[in-house]
Amino acid sequence: MNIQNKIEQKVKEAISHLHQVDLAQVEFQPTRKDFEGDVTVVTFPMLRQIKTNPVQLGNAIGEYLVENVEEIVSFNVVQGFLNIVLSNKFYLSSFEAIANNSDFGKAEVNEYSDTIMVEYSSPNTNKPLHLGHVRNNLLGFSVAEILKASGRRVYKTQIINDRGIHICKSMLAWERWGNGETPESTGLKGDKLVGNYYVKFDQEHKKEIASLISEGKTEVEAKAQAPVLVAAKEMLIKWEAGDEEVKALWEKMNQWVYDGFEKTYKTLGVDFDKNYYESNTYLLGKDVVAEGIEKGVFFRKDDGSVWIDLTEDGLDEKIVLRSDGTAVYMTQDIGTAIQRVKDFAIDGMVYTVGNEQDYHFKVLFLILSKLGYEWANNLYHLSYGMVDLPTGKMKSREGTVVDADDLIAQMTQTAKSISEELGKLGEYSSEEKEELYKMIGLGALKYYILKVDPRKRILFNPEESVDFQGNTGPFIQYTYARIQSILRKANLETDGMELPQSYVLHEKEKELIKQLQSYPDTIQLAAENHSPALIANYTYDLVKEFNSFYQNVTILGTPDEAEKKFRVQLSKSVGDIIKSAFGLLGIQVPERM
RNA sequence: GGUCGCGUAGCUCAGUUGGAUAGAGCACCUGCCUUCUAAGCAGGCGGUCCCAGGUUCGAAUCCUGGCGCGAUCACCA
């Protein structure tokens, strides 16, 4: 039983003893730094049931607790706050348990664990990944790791949007103006090559629009009638009809893109257990719509289109099947969700998709629930804010994007120049150095993005570089490296504690142990809230606390061997938790830097 | 216009069952490297928690109404 539960029980006992009142619950909070104590019981709420003044009540409870709870050594009362001081012995044994558990903080998966599928990334195949995708990937990957650590079974997936007019545009442009270029012939990454033709298409399209307008057409007419667009649409129709030539081109160019994505995913350090392809799933869901009509969930309009009426739920009518019988996005998503539950026996799903699709997912979940699927209650839209530039939205067609690969390279370069300036890596080979620069650059980028609440919009200014000091990834990595340096120098066995029970903990040591203790709760909270930001902030607090300890308390310099060993063990545990927590964020930590 | 999200220091952000004097980083200013890695530590400066009401012993947090920013409301995805 954890200490808070124990105290809660004893407080209830005290109140029932002293005032013959049963408390429903006891309110706790960590004691603020400006007061003496470790945990605080807030007694204000009790005054509703007990007519007395808060100071008297606090004192009475405090005395009872000191008498009856061995871990409590003293207390003080400030108004309605009962500040409780816990014994050193309690902290030491608590720390011992932490130090001896290599998986501290993580809940185990067992037969009762839920299985959750996390969908993220889900790119279109007509252009390379940009900063917006980076946020999506980092969030999705991290939330999957956090869910695992919280005791769920997790499958990671992405649905690749490999069909449609967008890829036909790239295909058409390549066919017309590509001169047979390939990734091999140009040395370009495949996704970049295909993306270039998407831009090329847009340029040609714009030229044609301009000339049509000069011939007297309206803008709307010009856009729709421009010959390149008409040709791209024809290509899509051929694709849907299974035209072999078009399919072959489609397969070839998609493969280039996949090879390119694979490289980016690898550098980003994200992965998937299963890929779904829209070319396989875009017809799914139609039969479900038919069933839904029978159940009365959907209705058919005179023109043959099928709708759902959500006005009673405060939403609008939404189409689920076109009048020509073809599937819309919603149809596919209904079908795909059901397919996934069949494939993996999952209990729930997390969709990592930008907040521009909030409405879509609200409707999707509502529909699945109306269709009677129980797991519909376990669907979660991990909705995140857009990443905007100072100049506005990123647009691939217009080339105003921060390319993922370029950004990573740039971050790595910054890490390199800072490292070289500091010059602490004497004995590292150049390969080791390059690895490290990448680790730090990525650490800075990932932390920068993940420390922000997912719902919030991020304004990214490429002119101002991402920081490497203060509340940043590299600062935390640096602290980890410092700890490893101590461990190397200490060269001690870290098993078993030799500290006498009478040892009085330094204030900083105590704060560190407290911070370590809250790791398991932090993981659970982060999982419930689908928020890597909570892990990032936790880690930062831990690291700040450690650096303060490090610079105010001597670790290896202390003459007392038992004390030295304890401090080394404490440092090691902090390092382990940093590594574990950063693992949940998908950030690696270095031995030196 | 309807719906949803956001609004906290000059800037970027914490602040999650409503609790004590609202916290960090960056920037700016002071100190600290012959001693465990100064990508650090110790301190200073900096606040109309968007505004106005309400609920409460107590509100940045909950409710109502405004204001501002963003998203969305397609037989697009």
Side-chain angles (χ1 to χ4, degrees):
Chain A
M1 183 182 345
N2 77 36
I3 190 71
Q4 185 166 312
N5 292 343
K6 186 167 179 182
I7 296 174
E8 171 155 14
Q9 203 175 319
K10 290 291 176 182
V11 170
K12 285 179 179 170
E13 210 173 283
I15 295 295
S16 128
H17 249 265
L18 299 166
H19 294 279
Q20 290 74 50
V21 168
D22 285 332
L23 283 180
Q25 59 169 22
V26 179
E27 196 172 320
F28 285 93
Q29 61 180 292
T31 306
R32 286 183 69 106
K33 289 250 168 84
D34 358 320
F35 299 93
E36 195 202 353
D38 301 313
V39 276
T40 294
V41 172
V42 188
T43 57
F44 280 119
M46 301 175 189
L47 299 175
R48 274 183 233 281
Q49 293 181 59
I50 303 161
K51 296 294 169 220
T52 177
N53 81 64
V55 177
Q56 230 167 36
L57 182 63
N59 280 312
I61 299 171
E63 277 162 28
Y64 187 90
L65 292 177
V66 171
E67 287 281 306
N68 292 288
V69 182
E70 69 173 324
E71 291 90 344
I72 297 178
V73 291
S74 66
F75 71 94
N76 64 82
V77 175
V78 182
Q79 297 171 53
F81 301 96
L82 167 59
N83 301 319
I84 294 167
V85 180
L86 298 171
S87 69
N88 281 288
K89 194 181 158 195
F90 162 73
Y91 280 106
L92 286 174
S93 57
S94 165
F95 170 65
E96 207 169 358
I98 293 170
N100 290 330
N101 178 358
S102 58
D103 269 328
F104 177 70
K106 299 188 178 177
E108 283 186 15
V109 172
N110 60 39
E111 54 191 310
Y112 304 110
S113 296
D114 274 348
T115 302
I116 306 291
M117 178 169 273
V118 178
E119 175 194 299
Y120 67 100
S121 197
S122 301
N124 289 354
T125 59
N126 60 324
K127 53 179 189 272
L129 303 176
H130 59 62
L131 182 52
H133 297 108
V134 171
R135 186 178 198 187
N136 183 308
N137 274 271
L138 298 180
L139 274 173
F141 178 85
S142 178
V143 165
E145 293 302 312
I146 290 167
L147 288 173
K148 275 188 211 169
S150 77
R152 276 105 170 156
R153 213 172 278 109
V154 173
Y155 293 109
K156 297 180 240 187
T157 192
Q158 60 174 334
I159 180 152
I160 299 170
N161 189 5
D162 60 348
R163 63 165 285 279
I165 190 71
H166 51 271
I167 179 69
C168 288
K169 288 177 180 177
S170 291
M171 284 156 62
L172 184 88
W174 182 84
E175 207 172 45
R176 290 206 182 164
W177 301 290
N179 301 315
E181 269 189 13
T182 66
E184 291 73 29
S185 75
T186 56
L188 277 175
K189 257 178 100 227
D191 51 335
K192 297 281 192 307
L193 180 77
V194 172
N196 288 346
Y197 286 98
Y198 187 63
V199 173
K200 174 74 175 168
F201 178 93
D202 192 59
Q203 289 164 349
E204 295 298 325
H205 188 204
K206 283 206 170 109
K207 273 189 215 164
E208 291 185 358
I209 291 169
S211 88
L212 284 172
I213 289 176
S214 72
E215 286 166 19
K217 305 265 189 190
T218 67
E219 195 181 337
V220 179
E221 285 170 345
K223 275 186 182 165
Q225 293 171 13
V228 268
L229 184 68
V230 172
K233 281 182 176 166
E234 278 167 9
M235 196 176 235
L236 179 61
I237 291 168
K238 279 189 184 170
W239 182 90
E240 289 187 356
D243 181 282
E244 280 187 26
E245 214 171 302
V246 172
K247 283 263 170 161
L249 175 62
W250 172 76
E251 267 164 26
K252 176 165 76 178
M253 289 182 72
N254 269 341
Q255 193 54 51
W256 291 346
V257 173
Y258 298 148
D259 293 344
F261 283 172
E262 199 45 47
K263 281 186 192 156
T264 307
Y265 287 148
K266 205 169 170 223
T267 26
L268 266 182
V270 303
D271 56 15
F272 303 91
D273 298 305
K274 161 91 178 172
N275 290 340
Y276 284 88
Y277 294 87
E278 206 153 8
S279 53
N280 292 326
T281 63
Y282 82 109
L283 297 173
L284 285 177
K286 289 190 190 184
D287 45 344
V288 182
V289 169
E291 283 170 37
I293 293 175
E294 280 175 34
K295 286 187 190 167
V297 176
F298 305 127
F299 66 94
R300 198 183 287 278
K301 287 194 176 176
D302 291 342
D303 62 3
S305 57
V306 180
W307 298 71
I308 184 164
D309 183 359
L310 298 170
T311 47
E312 280 183 16
D313 299 280
L315 304 173
D316 303 320
E317 288 187 351
K318 190 82 190 172
I319 191 161
V320 292
L321 209 58
R322 291 193 187 98
S323 53
D324 63 5
T326 54
V328 292
Y329 183 44
M330 190 64 75
T331 328
Q332 279 179 60
D333 268 5
I334 294 168
T336 305
I338 294 167
Q339 186 63 46
R340 287 175 179 176
V341 173
K342 279 185 193 153
D343 289 351
F344 289 90
I346 50 182
D347 304 295
M349 262 185 277
V350 173
Y351 292 89
T352 312
V353 181
N355 64 10
E356 57 200 350
Q357 293 193 39
D358 284 355
Y359 185 76
H360 172 78
F361 282 100
K362 202 181 263 189
V363 172
L364 174 65
F365 297 167
L366 201 51
I367 289 176
L368 288 166
S369 168
K370 283 179 187 290
L371 286 171
Y373 295 103
E374 267 178 45
W375 44 263
N377 300 319
N378 276 325
L379 300 177
Y380 182 81
H381 174 203
L382 174 52
S383 162
Y384 61 90
M386 297 289 103
V387 184
D388 291 328
L389 303 177
T391 46
K393 270 192 126 165
M394 287 190 269
K395 287 184 185 142
S396 296
R397 274 173 308 187
E398 293 166 19
T400 58
V401 291
V402 175
D403 178 81
D405 300 317
D406 293 351
L407 179 61
I408 293 166
Q410 188 192 320
M411 297 295 302
T412 304
Q413 186 52 45
T414 308
K416 181 175 180 178
S417 51
I418 293 175
S419 291
E420 283 177 345
E421 205 173 309
L422 294 172
K424 298 183 188 176
L425 300 172
E427 65 256 50
Y428 266 29
S429 70
S430 52
E431 289 80 19
E432 285 172 319
K433 284 181 183 170
E434 287 305 321
E435 266 309 296
L436 182 65
Y437 301 150
K438 212 176 98 183
M439 193 190 288
I440 297 170
L442 273 170
L445 177 63
K446 290 182 177 186
Y447 189 87
Y448 177 83
I449 289 173
L450 289 175
K451 75 171 178 180
V452 181
D453 184 326
R455 282 172 306 196
K456 288 191 176 169
R457 190 170 92 96
I458 292 182
L459 188 70
F460 185 87
N461 190 344
E463 302 302 316
E464 299 168 16
S465 56
V466 172
D467 271 328
F468 284 67
Q469 282 172 358
N471 187 0
T472 66
F475 166 55
I476 293 168
Q477 290 172 318
Y478 173 69
T479 306
Y480 180 84
R482 259 184 165 176
I483 292 172
Q484 301 319 302
S485 169
I486 287 177
L487 296 182
R488 283 191 297 270
K489 289 194 173 143
N491 197 25
L492 297 170
E493 283 297 318
T494 45
D495 296 346
M497 289 232 292
E498 286 157 21
L499 224 42
Q501 294 292 318
S502 59
Y503 182 76
V504 178
L505 284 166
H506 189 282
E507 200 44 44
K508 304 276 181 196
E509 294 170 340
K510 199 166 160 182
E511 287 305 319
L512 276 175
I513 296 173
K514 281 191 203 176
Q515 188 65 18
L516 293 176
Q517 283 171 335
S518 64
Y519 186 49
D521 286 347
T522 304
I523 290 180
Q524 292 302 325
L525 199 62
E528 281 162 33
N529 290 283
H530 301 88
S531 176
L534 297 178
I535 299 290
N537 285 314
Y538 166 83
T539 314
Y540 177 64
D541 289 339
L542 174 65
V543 161
K544 238 184 113 46
E545 201 64 56
F546 180 81
N547 275 301
S548 178
F549 165 71
Y550 176 89
Q551 226 131 31
N552 288 288
V553 178
T554 181
I555 298 169
L556 298 177
T558 182
D560 182 331
E561 278 302 312
E563 181 173 82
K564 176 170 157 185
K565 183 167 179 184
F566 166 66
R567 288 181 178 165
V568 170
Q569 286 172 320
L570 183 57
S571 304
K572 179 178 182 297
S573 285
V574 171
D576 289 345
I577 300 299
I578 292 172
K579 187 173 189 173
S580 165
F582 258 33
L584 300 181
L585 301 179
I587 304 175
Q588 293 177 289
V589 287
E591 296 303 306
R592 299 167 206 269
M593 72 184 268

